[in-house]
Amino acid sequence: QVQLMESGGGSVQAGGSLKLSCEDSRGTFSSKIMGWYRQTPGNQRELVATITAGGTTNYADSVKGRFSISKDKAMRTMFLQMNDLKPEDTGVYYCNSYVGNIPVWGQGTQVTVSS
């Protein structure tokens, strides 16, 4: 069973930074696209950023210019660098990948931004 393991969440003040990491239990990300999603209080899970195996990135409008998604060359770890955090970024952040066409999710990591 494939597992995704997130780390790096925490509590920061507005304007601060956090870096999330995600590792695939297979030892490498083998899907064509991977990404980060978040669920903020009272809302459905939403896309934050995606990255393809070739390195093409895509971002939600709300995080463009502040967040950066990346992966290491060995594709063992995926990252989400979050800068200039805002209170509205507070939520649970989930790592996402695929096994074939089946989505796989991490357990989530809490990010709390105080004003």
Side-chain angles (χ1 to χ4, degrees):
Q1 183 177 358
V2 175
Q3 290 185 323
L4 302 179
M5 295 158 285
E6 301 111 335
S7 61
S11 298
V12 295
Q13 291 189 327
S17 298
L18 285 172
K19 187 173 185 177
L20 306 183
S21 300
C22 177
E23 295 187 357
D24 188 320
S25 63
R26 293 170 289 186
T28 183
F29 284 92
S30 59
S31 63
K32 294 181 179 180
I33 189 166
M34 302 148 280
W36 290 95
Y37 290 71
R38 70 185 179 189
Q39 188 159 14
T40 56
N43 295 308
Q44 293 184 334
R45 193 173 298 186
E46 62 180 3
L47 180 146
V48 175
T50 60
I51 185 168
T52 67
T56 300
T57 59
N58 180 56
Y59 297 93
D61 287 344
S62 60
V63 306
K64 282 181 181 176
R66 300 188 297 123
F67 290 12
S68 178
I69 188 172
S70 63
K71 53 183 174 64
D72 64 6
K73 289 184 178 180
M75 291 188 64
R76 297 182 185 278
T77 308
M78 181 173 63
F79 304 99
L80 184 68
Q81 177 67 47
M82 305 185 293
N83 298 325
D84 190 22
L85 282 160
K86 302 177 180 181
E88 51 263 42
D89 294 319
T90 293
V92 180
Y93 284 69
Y94 297 90
C95 174
N96 167 260
S97 184
Y98 286 84
V99 177
N101 293 324
I102 301 173
V104 181
W105 298 93
Q107 80 285 356
T109 185
Q110 177 71 42
V111 171
T112 302
V113 185
S114 59
S115 57

